Amino acid sequence: YYTSNGYVIFNPDVYYEDGYPGESAYNCVMPGITALIGEGFIDPDRIGAQGHSWGGYQVAYLATRTDMFAAIESGAPVVNMFSAYGGIRWWTGLNRSFQYEHTQSRIGGSIWEEPLRYFETSPLFTMDKVTTPILIMHNDQDGHVPWYQGIEYFIALRRLQKPVWMLNYTGEPHWPQKLKNKKDFQIRLAQFFGHYLKGEPMPEWMEEGVPAVEKDYKLGY
């Protein structure tokens, strides 16, 4: 869909250094984008980023480090490594500390052993640096990343008076499963990027908002 509508899609690989997951993403993604700009493939003023789950974290981190992006969508991200460390995976009851000490999140120690690493890699604490409009998608039955992470993200950016929107599909897990919600999200995502990257009019749901009590009656199509 996107390549058929004037976009160039770049899927970067990230080489991680343990203890520095956000910095590792920055050190791999940004040179790749710079290379694309140098080739003349893209407009440097109209670059967007999109990531989900672990990718949602990475783009949230990038938003605190650069103003290169004109728009970012961050799906089901972790933004506060401290509160995420102390949470559980709701579907299994498994505590989340294992993934910060040993696996995907790559901190390499506990919050008591490596507190500065947890602070430095948490986008929440440097959101005052964000200049990019942000779209967050996080659902209230997410069994992988508790959706309070999305709430922390949204509230922080709103408190700082940054341009931010949050989508929540009631009863949906880590990613929308119902067909109407899948379709709705893809339409809103395209509208979000269409506005900021292609100069299309801002849709009503972005300009005026949708109260939570009305959201099921105002889908994006």
Side-chain angles (χ1 to χ4, degrees):
Y1 172 84
Y2 284 94
T3 55
S4 297
N5 283 274
Y7 293 90
V8 172
I9 306 299
F10 173 46
N11 292 315
D13 289 327
V14 176
Y15 179 83
Y16 291 100
E17 180 181 353
D18 286 348
Y20 306 95
E23 188 73 11
S24 297
Y26 180 87
N27 289 341
C28 290
V29 173
M30 301 308 293
I33 295 174
T34 302
L36 290 176
I37 293 173
E39 293 290 339
F41 294 148
I42 55 177
D43 183 342
D45 295 325
R46 297 174 182 268
I47 301 173
Q50 189 274 336
H52 190 81
S53 194
W54 183 238
Y57 158 71
Q58 290 172 99
V59 295
Y61 179 87
L62 290 176
T64 68
R65 291 292 309 279
T66 179
D67 60 1
M68 177 177 283
F69 300 106
I72 287 176
E73 190 276 330
S74 176
V78 166
V79 294
N80 183 346
M81 295 280 186
F82 288 102
S83 61
Y85 178 93
I88 63 172
R89 288 177 172 249
W90 289 106
W91 285 358
T92 63
L94 188 65
N95 74 74
R96 295 178 52 81
S97 59
F98 79 93
Q99 74 181 73
Y100 298 90
E101 296 184 25
H102 302 293
T103 58
Q104 186 184 58
S105 299
R106 299 175 173 89
I107 300 299
S110 71
I111 57 175
W112 303 280
E113 295 168 320
E114 302 289 353
L116 289 180
R117 288 187 180 180
Y118 279 82
F119 178 82
E120 291 168 352
T121 58
S122 297
L124 182 71
F125 301 109
T126 47
M127 282 188 191
D128 56 321
K129 306 294 193 298
V130 174
T131 60
T132 305
I134 305 290
L135 175 63
I136 304 164
M137 192 276 288
H138 213 154
N139 299 323
D140 53 21
Q141 294 300 308
D142 193 327
H144 298 290
V145 180
W147 81 303
Y148 59 70
Q149 289 290 319
I151 295 172
E152 287 190 53
Y153 196 4
F154 179 72
I155 294 298
L157 290 174
R158 288 285 291 179
R159 172 63 182 84
L160 292 166
Q161 298 183 316
K162 310 288 186 176
V164 60
W165 295 262
M166 183 173 178
L167 304 176
N168 163 238
Y169 293 96
T170 304
E172 290 279 42
H174 195 52
W175 186 264
Q177 299 295 306
K178 296 176 182 177
L179 181 60
K180 69 172 185 177
N181 293 334
K182 291 180 180 181
K183 181 178 179 181
D184 184 78
F185 174 64
Q186 294 301 331
I187 289 173
R188 292 184 197 270
L189 184 64
Q191 290 174 333
F192 174 72
F193 283 131
H195 174 64
Y196 283 110
L197 305 186
K198 300 180 72 176
E200 296 173 357
M202 179 177 282
E204 179 182 348
W205 65 270
M206 289 177 63
E207 189 167 7
E208 299 184 9
V210 179
V213 294
E214 298 179 12
K215 66 180 181 177
D216 291 331
Y217 304 99
K218 289 191 176 182
L219 298 174
Y221 56 91

